[in-house]
């Protein structure tokens, strides 16, 4: 790519400027390579925004399911931490099927303080917070 | 404690950047394109069954750690690579190396690196960075993709180094311990090219190399009918992200490789590589066009079959071009 064509499209996600100044290898007008800096490119911004839209949607969906009592708050905080079930299982050190059980409200209510602590520390929140999600009465 | 004569240099790609900075500190003159080319960093792979958050994995780079390992081997640098069973041991080893005046390269998860903008912090576990000092509880960090040096509290660095998931870094850290001084780069350059030709032409079909590009192209054509408009859009978005974001991806890597070929032409005194460099630049531009077209398709959201067919065709054409390119490059070696 020629240095005159380098895009400078800043990335705005969640209303914040998320641009990073990055290095790109470009050619000058006689074809010699040099480096230049750029703040972003619309094509990648779009892909990134789409990824976040889908994440936000999933978090909101899960939040509604927790409020409706279908899932435990662990499901919400898992989505919020951008984890999937296998990743979360590795972090807490339980088998996947066990974590899957813990996503059910009925099972969640019976978790020991120790188990709750384990989840809370993975999500980096206090245990009290783990028992509730935002918007829950 | 700060390692005084360490110089931060911003790079296009984290691993070639880390390699460059560590070796430069050890007294070897190198550039990022040379590190990337000798390290045979260029690659392609598409693994539909290896899903991350339900989206198939596409890679534009060789597996993590390969570039560094290979460049060191080619240039006669002895290095120490360690992984750890416990965070305590890992952090103690890091402190010991820093105390011995060694800047240390580390594999880590981007999710825990608070100096990145929030929207960038995914569970991507193959990011490379350098620690070059410690002040109180803060580590002084030279992250090659950042414009400036930065800091990271010890507990965050520990989390980043011992992140779980795939690939788990297990606190992996590395630094050169002995160098042979500067030697002739020509054999290293040619050997790096040979390896890249091998990876692009001969790695196991259909998932890797030029065949992998065509394979992805064929799959993209069928995305809308197989997955539905919404999921097809997500899959396409992920390809663009892998191509453009994490470690500068497809087009950026092609430009980096073109820069390498240009430097190689001067060092090996073989003008044929300069022509190859110009060809690679065009291929890189074509990858950029692909990302641009893909973004348009994604934005459209209608799941229009013909637009996906066009995207697939672009990749199949790219596959043909890369096959031709690396076949010609191989003949030059």
């Amino acid at each position: 790519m020629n240095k005159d064509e380098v895009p400078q499209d800043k990335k705005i996600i969640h209303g914040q400027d998320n641009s990073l100044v990055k290095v790109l290898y470009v050619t000058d007008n006689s074809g010699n390579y040099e480096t230049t800096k750029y703040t972003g490119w619309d094509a990648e911004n779009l892909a990134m925004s789409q990824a976040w839209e889908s994440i936000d949607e999933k978090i909101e969906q899960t939040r509604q399911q927790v409020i409706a009592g279908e899932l435990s708050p662990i499901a919400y905080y898992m989505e919020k931490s951008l984890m999937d079930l296998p990743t979360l299982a590795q972090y807490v050190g339980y088998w996947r099927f066990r974590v899957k059980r813990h996503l059910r409200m009925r099972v969640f209510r019976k978790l020991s303080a120790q188990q709750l602590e384990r989840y809370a520390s993975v999500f980096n929140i206090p245990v009290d917070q783990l028992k509730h999600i935002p918007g829950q009465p | 404690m700060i390692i005084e004569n360490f110089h931060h240099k911003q790079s296009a790609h984290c691993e070639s950047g880390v390699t460059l900075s560590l070796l430069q500190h050890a007294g070897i003159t190198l550039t990022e394109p040379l590190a990337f080319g000798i390290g045979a960093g260029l690659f392609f792979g598409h693994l539909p069954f290896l899903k991350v958050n339900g989206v198939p994995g596409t890679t534009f780079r060789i597996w993590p750690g390969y570039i560094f390992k290979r460049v060191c081997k080619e240039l006669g640098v002895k290095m120490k690579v360690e992984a750890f069973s416990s965070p305590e041991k890992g952090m103690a080893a890091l402190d010991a190396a820093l105390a011995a005046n060694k800047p240390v390269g580390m594999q880590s998860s981007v999710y825990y690196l608070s100096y990145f903008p929030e929207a960038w912090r995914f569970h991507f576990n193959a990011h490379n960075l350098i620690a070059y000092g410690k002040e109180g509880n803060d580590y002084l960090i030279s992250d090659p993709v950042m414009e400036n040096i930065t800091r990271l509290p010890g507990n965050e660095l520990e989390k980043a180094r011992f992140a779980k998931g795939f690939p788990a870094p297990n606190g992996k850290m590395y630094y050169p311990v002995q160098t042979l001084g500067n030697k002739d780069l020509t054999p290293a350059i040619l050997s790096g090219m040979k390896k890249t030709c091998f990876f692009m032409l001969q790695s196991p079909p259909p998932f890797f190399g030029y065949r992998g590009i065509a394979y992805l192209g064929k799959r993209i054509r069928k995305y809308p009918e197989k997955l539905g408009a919404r999921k097809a859009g997500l899959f396409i978005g992920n390809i663009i992200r892998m191509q453009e974001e994490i470690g500068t991806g497809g087009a950026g890597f092609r430009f980096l490789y073109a820069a390498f070929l240009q430097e190689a032409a001067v060092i090996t005194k073989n003008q044929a590589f300069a022509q190859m460099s110009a060809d690679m630049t065009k291929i890189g531009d074509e990858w950029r066009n692909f990302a641009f077209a893909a973004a348009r398709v994604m934005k459209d959201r209608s799941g229009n079959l013909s637009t996906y067919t066009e995207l697939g065709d672009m990749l199949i054409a790219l596959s043909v071009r890369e096959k031709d390119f690396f076949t010609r490059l191989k003949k030059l070696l």
Side-chain angles (χ1 to χ4, degrees):
Chain A
M1 187 170 53
N2 191 284
K3 65 175 172 186
D4 301 332
E5 298 161 10
V6 174
Q8 300 288 350
D9 306 325
K10 286 203 167 198
K11 185 173 339 226
I12 309 290
I13 289 171
H14 294 149
Q16 277 180 40
D17 181 1
N18 280 288
S19 46
L20 274 182
V21 180
K22 293 183 281 185
V23 162
L24 192 66
Y25 282 79
V26 288
T27 49
D28 65 14
N29 292 328
S30 44
N32 293 316
Y33 265 95
E34 58 182 31
T35 58
T36 189
K37 293 187 177 180
Y38 78 116
T39 49
W41 181 36
D42 265 340
E44 50 170 303
N45 294 353
L46 209 66
M48 188 86 134
S49 310
Q50 183 218 38
W52 277 102
E53 268 169 38
S54 125
I55 290 167
D56 292 341
E57 211 173 288
K58 192 89 190 285
I59 294 175
E60 180 53 26
Q61 234 173 45
T62 313
R63 196 176 74 91
Q64 295 301 341
Q65 280 173 297
V66 177
I67 289 175
E70 292 162 28
L71 288 172
S72 78
I74 290 176
Y76 170 80
Y77 288 108
M78 176 175 89
E79 294 295 342
K80 189 95 183 139
S81 315
L82 311 184
M83 291 182 187
D84 53 10
L85 193 77
T87 314
L88 177 59
Q90 274 196 42
Y91 269 104
V92 285
Y94 296 145
W95 292 93
R96 279 185 211 183
F97 73 85
R98 223 174 147 197
V99 174
K100 207 168 176 178
R101 268 171 55 79
H102 296 168
L103 299 186
R104 283 155 57 185
M105 206 54 214
R106 206 168 49 84
V107 182
F108 178 76
R109 283 202 196 95
K110 288 184 217 152
L111 289 186
S112 70
Q114 226 177 352
Q115 285 173 314
L116 288 173
E117 174 59 44
R118 213 143 143 182
Y119 280 105
S121 79
V122 167
F123 297 136
N124 209 6
I125 52 174
V127 178
D128 282 343
Q129 203 183 324
L130 180 63
K131 293 176 186 164
H132 281 93
I133 61 156
Q136 201 177 29
Chain B
M1 150 192 60
I2 301 176
I3 296 166
E4 288 295 345
N5 48 358
F6 178 81
H7 301 288
H8 173 71
K9 189 165 188 320
Q10 194 185 8
S11 312
H13 171 47
C14 65
E15 193 175 336
S16 47
V18 163
T19 306
L20 173 72
S21 290
L22 287 181
L23 293 189
Q24 267 183 346
H25 184 81
I28 292 179
T29 320
L30 212 60
T31 63
E32 189 190 2
L34 282 174
F36 184 73
I38 294 172
L42 195 80
F43 189 53
F44 184 88
H46 178 70
L47 294 166
F49 43 82
L50 196 92
K51 289 192 176 163
V52 182
N53 282 316
V55 186
T58 309
T59 179
F60 290 83
R61 52 170 287 176
I62 205 70
W63 55 86
Y66 187 85
I67 296 179
F68 181 73
K69 202 168 141 188
R70 193 177 160 83
V71 172
C72 286
K73 204 176 140 200
E74 289 289 342
L75 300 184
V77 177
K78 268 199 194 142
M79 45 140 187
K80 188 159 183 174
V81 182
E82 292 172 284
F84 304 90
S85 53
S86 83
E88 293 73 29
K89 282 185 201 160
M91 294 311 277
L94 171 61
D95 289 348
L98 289 174
N101 229 15
K102 303 268 186 206
V104 180
M106 283 170 284
Q107 189 185 330
S108 54
S109 164
V110 179
Y111 187 75
Y112 299 101
L113 303 177
S114 50
Y115 54 79
F116 270 94
E118 192 81 33
W120 282 78
R121 291 164 60 189
F122 292 98
H123 290 275
F124 171 68
N125 286 353
H127 186 64
N128 290 280
L129 49 82
I130 299 173
Y132 70 99
K134 188 180 182 185
E135 266 181 0
N137 198 27
D138 281 357
Y139 286 87
L140 304 170
I141 303 290
S142 159
D143 188 318
V145 303
M146 304 302 279
E147 197 174 13
N148 302 309
I149 48 172
T150 144
R151 286 165 170 265
L152 199 63
N155 58 340
E156 283 181 30
L157 181 62
E158 185 177 313
K159 275 189 175 162
R161 293 181 66 200
F162 289 89
K164 302 276 170 52
F166 179 82
N170 291 323
K172 187 174 163 196
M173 61 178 241
Y174 46 89
Y175 51 89
V177 283
Q178 196 191 350
T179 58
L180 290 175
N182 266 338
K183 58 178 207 173
D184 182 18
L185 287 176
T186 304
I189 286 171
L190 296 178
S191 151
M193 286 180 188
K194 260 183 206 156
K195 202 76 200 178
T196 303
C197 289
F198 174 81
F199 283 142
M200 288 306 291
L201 297 173
Q202 272 150 296
S203 31
F207 305 112
F208 303 106
Y210 80 91
R211 292 186 190 89
I213 302 173
Y215 176 65
L216 177 60
K218 281 181 204 149
R219 290 186 78 90
I220 284 182
R221 284 174 177 171
K222 293 186 193 134
Y223 272 180
E225 52 178 331
K226 249 175 73 181
L227 306 163
R230 192 192 137 79
K231 219 169 170 194
L234 274 176
F235 278 30
I236 292 287
N238 188 56
I239 298 168
I240 307 177
R241 270 170 57 222
M242 295 316 285
Q243 184 181 329
E244 295 301 323
E245 302 283 352
I246 306 162
T248 66
F253 281 169
R254 265 69 193 169
F255 297 139
L256 189 50
Y257 205 73
F260 160 66
L261 288 166
Q262 203 168 67
E263 287 186 35
V266 178
I267 295 170
T268 62
K269 301 187 183 66
N270 184 346
Q271 268 310 302
F273 291 140
Q275 182 52 46
M276 293 305 280
S277 166
D279 290 355
M280 186 43 97
T281 304
K282 284 187 202 131
I283 291 178
D285 286 334
E286 210 42 56
W287 273 106
R288 248 185 126 77
N289 287 341
F290 167 77
F292 196 70
R296 256 196 335 242
V297 169
M298 209 183 75
K299 206 174 165 184
D300 177 28
R301 283 173 200 247
S302 65
N304 187 335
L305 198 63
S306 69
T307 55
Y308 278 86
T309 311
E310 273 166 38
L311 275 190
D313 291 345
M314 280 180 102
L315 281 188
I316 290 165
L318 266 165
S319 160
V320 173
R321 284 184 78 160
E322 295 215 348
K323 181 191 180 188
D324 168 64
F325 178 90
F326 287 105
T327 312
R328 279 188 292 135
L329 183 62
K330 202 177 162 189
K331 281 196 190 122
L332 288 176
L333 302 173

